[in-house]
Amino acid sequence: MPIMNPKTLQQLAESNARDYQSNSPFPHIVLDEFMPKEALKQVLDAFPSPEQLAFYQYDNPLEKKLAFDQLDQLPACIASLLQELNSPAFLRFLETLTGIEGLMGDPYYRGGGIHQIPKGGKLDVHVDFNCHPKLKLQRRLNALIYLNEDWDEDYGGHFELWSGRQEKGQHYLEQCEQSVLPIFNRFVLFNTS
């Protein structure tokens, strides 16, 4: 049984499509209370600590974080949620919301899965990759669902949306246009072009 009701998702997409597609500095949306709280709380309670799995460790000047994309090794409720986010019903929601037709889920969860930034970690401002390294398809969207309960604004960690420009194949970031607090059950979706 799906965690999110497909009819409710479709209504949410239809009522937010105009905002998504016209938002600046690029198409995006921030939706609070996105999922049933009880289901997301179950995901949070099952979320593995850094010692429980062989997380991939990003440790470079841009990022210091942990990631894991092997669904068969994740708790069942987390794997089910990730599979639902790649389901036909969720893809229809994304197509309606974004106006992008023909979206496909990523069976490899490249850059997806679960991520955590331990204390002292970071993820600097960057431009996401656009070409899937294995499938050689254009990566169109990035979705985030935050699991941070009782997150205080003083902690920082805001997700920032920056304007920029592209010249001769190089991306140049100019200024932060929006700052999003990473609070529990907040869904952020944005174009990666």
Side-chain angles (χ1 to χ4, degrees):
M1 186 165 113
I3 296 169
M4 295 173 280
N5 180 302
K7 186 176 180 181
T8 303
L9 275 174
Q10 199 59 27
Q11 291 169 343
L12 188 62
E14 290 167 5
S15 65
N16 286 283
R18 179 175 291 178
D19 287 342
Y20 179 93
Q21 295 169 30
S22 65
N23 271 339
S24 179
F26 45 82
H28 72 277
I29 197 90
V30 177
L31 300 172
D32 288 333
E33 303 300 325
F34 183 67
M35 293 181 53
K37 189 175 183 176
E38 306 76 36
L40 201 57
K41 179 77 170 108
Q42 184 181 12
V43 167
L44 175 61
D45 291 343
F47 202 93
S49 69
E51 302 79 32
Q52 289 178 292
L53 291 174
F55 279 90
Y56 180 78
Q57 297 183 19
Y58 291 84
D59 193 358
N60 58 62
L62 179 67
E63 56 198 341
K64 185 176 175 123
K65 68 174 187 165
L66 304 173
F68 196 83
D69 60 6
Q70 303 300 307
L71 267 61
D72 60 331
Q73 296 178 44
L74 289 170
C77 62
I78 297 175
S80 292
L81 173 59
L82 293 172
Q83 289 167 335
E84 188 168 336
L85 295 175
N86 266 334
S87 71
F90 199 78
L91 291 172
R92 280 190 296 277
F93 158 75
L94 294 174
E95 288 179 339
T96 301
L97 181 62
T98 65
I100 302 170
E101 293 292 324
L103 291 174
M104 295 173 45
D106 177 4
Y108 297 101
Y109 296 88
R110 178 74 174 121
I114 61 172
H115 293 246
Q116 58 182 308
I117 300 177
K119 190 172 185 174
K122 69 174 183 173
L123 182 56
D124 280 345
V125 177
H126 64 279
V127 175
D128 279 343
F129 69 90
N130 290 75
C131 183
H132 192 289
K134 189 167 190 146
L135 300 175
K136 307 299 183 212
L137 296 173
Q138 186 179 17
R139 185 171 179 243
R140 301 295 308 269
L141 301 171
N142 198 348
L144 309 170
I145 300 175
Y146 289 105
L147 300 177
N148 301 312
E149 277 190 318
D150 305 317
W151 190 264
D152 191 292
E153 190 151 5
D154 292 338
Y155 299 160
H158 292 75
F159 171 68
E160 297 178 343
L161 301 169
W162 284 62
S163 59
R165 69 187 194 293
Q166 186 172 350
E167 291 178 12
K168 299 178 186 173
Q170 291 285 58
H171 295 279
Y172 298 95
L173 299 171
E174 294 180 327
Q175 73 177 28
C176 180
E177 301 284 343
Q178 187 173 355
S179 184
V180 179
L181 192 65
I183 59 173
F184 185 77
N185 208 359
R186 177 166 277 173
F187 172 77
V188 180
L189 180 74
F190 56 95
N191 282 21
T192 59
S193 58

